Structures are given as C-alpha cells and as structure tokens.
Amino acid sequence: MSELEGPLKDIFDVVIHRNPGEPEFQQAVHEVFETLTPVMAKHPEYEDVLTRMCEPERQIIFRVPWIDDDGKVQINRGFRVEFNSALGPYKGGLRFHPSVNLSIVKFLGFEQIFKNSLTGLPIGGGKGGSDFDPKGRSDREVMRFCQSFMTELYRHIGDKTDVPAGDIGVGGREIGYLFGQYKRITNRYESGVLTGKGLTWGGSQVRPEATGYGAVFFVDEMLKAKGQGFDGKKVLVSGSGNVATYAIEKIHQLGGTVIGCSDSSGYVIDEKGIDLELLKEVKQVRRARLSEYVELRGNGTKVGTDGTLWQVPADIALPCATQNELDEDDAKALVANGCQIVGEGANMPTTPEAIKVLQAAGIGFAPGKAANAGGVATSALEMQQNASRDSWSFEYTEERLSDIMRSIHETCVETADEYNDPNNYIAGANIAGFVHVAEAMLALGVI
Ligand code: NDP
C-alpha cells in the first residue's frame, strides 16, 4: 500500500487504531483514500466528513442458534453493519460464508456507500451476513438457520430503515426463508424490506441477472470508448455463482466467448465457449463442483492445472468470485498475454499490488464499486416497484439497468477528467461516489 500524506494520513491512522485486526476493512479504506488527495486539497471542509464516514453508524453482532438434521445445536455469528444513511435507507447484501467476520462485513459495507451513491438512487450503505456455510446443508437446515437469523435481524430492518439483499451464499432460496420469517414475526407483508425476492412474491425482473449483466454493460461502454465491442473477444470470468453466470450469459449475447470460469475447487477451460445451461445445471441445480461440468461436457474441456484462471490468454478478464482473488502474479500474466480490460464483477477481487501492475501497463481497469453496481441499482428498482405495488417487464427493467450503467460509466470518466486523471476509473468512481455522500452529510449536520 502506498504512503498517504497530510489529513488523509491522519484520518487513516485513526482508522487503523480504531479497527485493529481488520485487514480487509483497512485495505478498502486505504484504496479510497489513495484517490482522494485532489478532492481534499480542493475541499478542506470534507475532512471531518471523511472521519465520520469511516465510522459505521451502527454495528450489530448477534448469536444465531439453530438445530441441525441430527438434532445437534449449532451456533453461528450474525452481523449487520449499518454504515451510512445520508442518501437513503442502508442497503447492501447478506453474505453466508465461513470466512465472514467483522472486517469483511465492514469492508463490504464501506464500499457499498460509494457504490450506492454512484447509482444516483436514494440508498445508503450497509452489509451483513454470517459465518454459516450453506454448502452441504439440507434445505431444512438452511431454512432453520435463516429463520433464527431473521428472528434477531427483523428488529433492525425495514423498508425505510435498512433493506438487505443477497450476496455470496444468499440467493433466492435464502431470501425466501428470510422474508417468510420476517412476515411471520411482524405480521406485515412489507415487500420492500428485502430485495432479491421471487417474481411471484414481490421480486423484480432482471434482479438475478443484474450484477453480471451490469458489469458486462459497463465493460461494453469501456470497449465502445475505444471503438470496439465484445464481438469476437475471448473472456475469462472467475466464479460460477450468481454474478459469474449472468456475466457469461450477457457476454455470449453480445458476441464474446467466455473460455474459462472457476469455483472454489479450481477452474475449467472450455475454448469453444462455456455451455451456460450445463453450468447452471451443475452449479445451481446439483450444487456440485466444476469437475462435474468437465465430465458432462467432454468437447476438449479441461480442468485447469497450471496456476490460476488468470494465466490463460484472453482479451478481457472479469473477476466475479471473491475478494483478493487476482494477485500480482496473475496481473503480470494478464499483461503478458495481451489482456486489454479487467472489470471487477466481485467486490475488491484485485489486490492493490495487482491493480498497480494493470494500471502501469495501461490496461483498462473497472473497479467493483462502479462495475458491479448494477445489482444494487436493480434492488433499488425492486424497492420502487414494491412501493408503488407495480411490476415492470423484463425489457423495461433491463433498459433501466443499461441506462444506469451507462450513466455510471459517464460519471467515472467525467470525474477522472475533472481531477486530471484521465482513464483512471478507480479515481473517477471513488471521487464521484464520495463527493455525493459528503455533500449530503454536510447538509444534514453533525450526526
Ligand atoms: P455466489 O455465492 O453466487 O457465487 C460465488 C462464486 O465464487 C462461487 O462460484 C464460489 O465457488 C466462488 N468462490 C468463492 N470463494 C472462492 C475462492 N476463494 N476462490 C475461487 N472461487 C471462489 O456469490 P455472488 O455471485 O453473488 O457474488 C460473487 C461476488 O460478487 C462477491 O464478491 C459479491 O460480494 C459480489 N457482488 C454480488 C452481488 C450480487 O448481486 N449477488 C452484487 C455486487 C457484488 P463455490 O461454488 O465453490 O462456492
């Protein structure tokens, strides 16, 4: 991490002191601070605001007891960090994964503030989750866990307070169980309290697709700025969950070919193009490993054996799995293989060292805050539909998503130009997201 100077260094020192042992949170704060020097020089009045912005408005940690299929009591830890509500109710997903801890929830919640601000929609930033691992658990166990989790969480959320959604390990099944328990405890059909719901019970068209589609729309704008498109491009997409699946779908629709994807057990190379229906069958229906995809596909498809997915030559790379999954060596391999663009579908998947390598080589780099904002933006569209008891068509909703991604791209480019850092999408996204929230916080007084 590079050295900060002046007030940014002083504020960052306080962050380090207040949040010991939270490396992911410190990394996310540092990444934003690195780009704020010109803003602080122009607006010294933002110093106090930035200090407040680094301190969550509320952090909730709770016990989640539940009984497994063998009748044994299991205990997990639940989190909800309500980070910033200057622009609207806290908004951000829930992650169920054994790696979840306060540092990870805080890094995600902090990033969410700027991402939500960039969408231009009235939503604040928050994030939550649990160290519960849904993998290998029966539907009944997942239901009992979700019910116990919501039995505590329900008192903190509401359509005007805090609106959770899905993230890693939390898809339609989990949102259903969580919403069911909320409805049961409160005796209110308050659709707008959670997003990512099923279509027959208050969900929005395009919400499952939104993060992956949105990331591809964003990268498409970057390509258009160079007079190009996805047509004929070879693409790597890491992960094979929600974001990766729909990123692959949209890339194929736009004429690109996704030649490799991954899961936590490894990666596959499929030079003829990933067979999406088969991938969905293996990962979503069977909830199996990617090696099963290779067995069923044949066709010269193979499990990757050398290094990581990023060592495979391609024109575009979209990390869509998890944080810090693309490191310095991966970045060097991408550069050596002539990759032109890296777009973050996941949150903070690229390490700071890797970003430096990519930027030094002039590779277009789209940070997650901008590139994956389509998911939360469509969640906000779901909230709009719930508030007006309406439901929009797939085509209309996708058009809205595409407009939002185009506008975020424009904002990033214009802001980077304004602060004399052309083509730096990280600076553009951080500065534009920050200034919008900072102005609202100044207007609302010291709270
Ligand atoms: P899913 O749980 O649907 O999928 C996650 C995928 O990543 C799975 O294929 C999983 O593999 C893989 N994975 C997890 N850990 C690792 C690892 N250490 N190495 C390699 N692969 C790994 O989650 P989502 O698709 O929803 O989320 C992916 C990323 O996108 C996260 O960073 C999330 O925060 C971000 N994001 C998600 C949004 C959404 O709307 N869902 C919105 C904005 C950002 P396996 O199947 O083996 O578990």
Side-chain angles (χ1 to χ4, degrees), residues 116-146:
N116 294 4
S117 160
L118 272 178
T119 67
L121 296 164
I123 40 179
K127 199 81 186 187
S130 173
D131 56 2
F132 171 71
D133 188 359
K135 254 197 218 106
R137 292 291 177 190
S138 68
D139 283 354
R140 286 185 309 270
E141 289 179 314
V142 171
M143 181 176 75
R144 285 197 294 273
F145 171 80
C146 288

Side-chain angles (χ1 to χ4, degrees), residues 54-376:
C54 293
E55 187 64 18
E57 290 176 17
R58 197 171 295 106
Q59 308 183 53
I60 303 149
I61 303 181
F62 50 98
R63 180 171 68 197
V64 190
W66 57 282
I67 296 176
D68 68 18
D69 283 347
D70 297 327
K72 201 164 162 265
V73 173
Q74 299 280 345
I75 301 293
N76 286 101
R77 184 171 286 183
F79 300 89
R80 186 71 187 166
V81 173
E82 299 181 333
F83 227 115
N84 193 299
S85 61
L87 299 180
Y90 310 106
K91 183 89 199 82
L94 296 171
R95 176 177 290 191
F96 292 169
H97 191 271
S99 64
V100 167
N101 56 34
L102 189 59
S103 171
I104 289 193
V105 176
K106 278 166 69 177
F107 116 63
L108 290 164
F110 186 72
E111 293 229 311
Q112 199 81 45
I113 304 170
F114 307 96
K115 181 188 311 190
N116 294 4
S117 160
L118 272 178
T119 67
L121 296 164
I123 40 179
K127 199 81 186 187
S130 173
D131 56 2
F132 171 71
D133 188 359
K135 254 197 218 106
R137 292 291 177 190
S138 68
D139 283 354
R140 286 185 309 270
E141 289 179 314
V142 171
M143 181 176 75
R144 285 197 294 273
F145 171 80
C146 288
Q147 289 176 341
S148 180
F149 186 85
M150 184 53 84
T151 301
E152 172 60 32
L153 188 69
Y154 90 95
R155 65 188 91 245
H156 306 290
I157 61 177
D159 62 0
K160 294 185 178 56
T161 318
D162 182 358
V163 185
D167 190 77
I168 291 180
V170 179
R173 172 181 64 169
E174 291 76 15
I175 293 290
Y177 295 146
L178 291 164
F179 183 64
Q181 184 73 349
Y182 181 86
K183 186 176 85 59
R184 181 189 194 191
I185 297 175
T186 59
N187 194 28
R188 287 161 67 96
Y189 207 105
E190 195 181 320
S191 304
V193 71
L194 286 170
T195 57
K197 300 181 293 296
L199 280 180
T200 53
W201 42 280
S204 171
Q205 294 281 4
V206 193
R207 179 59 190 90
E209 293 86 353
T211 309
Y213 277 22
V216 175
F217 288 148
F218 192 93
V219 170
D220 198 35
E221 290 299 316
M222 295 170 78
L223 286 164
K224 279 185 196 153
K226 297 167 172 241
Q228 300 178 27
F230 268 99
D231 209 18
K233 295 277 191 293
K234 286 187 172 187
V235 188
L236 301 170
V237 175
S238 67
S240 47
N242 172 270
V243 179
T245 300
Y246 292 106
I248 295 171
E249 184 164 285
K250 186 50 74 182
I251 291 164
H252 285 173
Q253 284 173 13
L254 294 180
T257 304
V258 177
I259 57 164
C261 69
S262 63
D263 68 10
S264 53
S265 68
Y267 71 95
V268 298
I269 307 166
D270 189 344
E271 291 285 351
K272 295 202 173 66
I274 297 286
D275 178 338
L276 197 61
E277 286 319 305
L278 181 59
L279 185 71
K280 285 183 185 172
E281 166 71 22
V282 170
K283 295 301 300 185
Q284 293 174 13
V285 181
R286 302 181 185 207
R287 296 183 190 271
R289 310 278 73 202
L290 267 184
S291 49
E292 212 164 305
Y293 173 91
V294 174
E295 279 161 32
L296 294 166
R297 173 83 159 144
N299 202 23
T301 306
K302 48 185 194 278
V303 174
T305 45
D306 293 337
T308 66
L309 175 68
W310 311 119
Q311 321 279 323
V312 179
D315 304 305
I316 296 170
L318 299 187
C320 295
T322 194
Q323 65 272 1
N324 293 328
E325 55 159 313
L326 195 164
D327 67 16
E328 192 174 358
D329 288 342
D330 296 326
K332 285 180 180 160
L334 288 170
V335 172
N337 287 329
C339 178
Q340 295 168 25
I341 290 181
V342 174
E344 294 189 323
N347 286 313
M348 211 168 76
T350 319
T351 65
E353 299 75 24
I355 292 174
K356 288 210 165 56
V357 171
L358 297 173
Q359 287 193 319
I363 290 185
F365 180 80
K369 277 185 211 85
N372 72 34
V376 75

